[in-house]
Amino acid sequence: QVQLVESGGGLVQAGGSLRLSCAASGRTISSYAMGWFRQAPGKEREFVAAISWGGSRTYYADSVKGRFTISRDNGKNTVYLQMNRLAPEDTAVYYCAKHAKITPPTMTSRDYDYWGQGTQVTVSS
């Protein structure tokens, strides 16, 4: 069993930055790939970013590439998402998730087996 808790969301003006954190407990996440997803009202949950178990490989959705950076600190059992140059289109609930297998991460939500409760990010014009 793994519990994931996101934090760091809030209200920010367009062009601003936020750093999200995802703290894991119950089981170490060091052997698993991790991902960030987001969901806006009326829309399906979409992939944002993922990172391999060792942190050497990262993957990003085209919509956030160059603006967002995913990282991890396995010693702290925590995953981060640095978000820069935020736009209103980034407004959503952001979720962190643990990949179900010890393999390179995928971009499909069905491949993740544990999810956090989400943290709201709102970007004003």
Side-chain angles (χ1 to χ4, degrees), residues 1-4 23-29 77 114:
Q1 294 290 334
V2 176
Q3 294 78 46
L4 304 174
S25 62
R27 183 181 181 184
T28 180
I29 61 171
N77 220 25
Y114 289 95

Side-chain angles (χ1 to χ4, degrees), residues 19 36 51 58 60 69-73 78-82:
R19 188 194 191 199
W36 284 95
I51 187 168
T58 57
Y60 298 94
T69 302
I70 187 172
S71 62
R72 68 190 301 165
D73 186 337
T78 301
V79 181
Y80 306 94
L81 184 68
Q82 178 67 46

Side-chain angles (χ1 to χ4, degrees), residues 44-116:
E44 294 185 347
R45 190 169 297 184
E46 66 175 345
F47 171 81
V48 176
I51 187 168
S52 62
W53 68 268
S56 61
R57 288 180 289 178
T58 57
Y59 308 86
Y60 298 94
D62 289 341
S63 60
V64 306
K65 192 175 299 182
R67 299 188 298 123
F68 292 9
T69 302
I70 187 172
S71 62
R72 68 190 301 165
D73 186 337
N74 287 336
K76 296 181 178 179
N77 220 25
T78 301
V79 181
Y80 306 94
L81 184 68
Q82 178 67 46
M83 305 184 294
N84 298 325
R85 303 194 303 279
L86 285 163
E89 293 74 28
D90 297 314
T91 295
V93 176
Y94 284 70
Y95 301 87
C96 67
K98 183 187 79 66
H99 201 277
K101 299 179 180 180
I102 307 175
T103 58
T106 66
M107 302 179 185
T108 303
S109 61
R110 294 178 181 177
D111 294 330
Y112 295 78
D113 57 359
Y114 289 95
W115 297 79

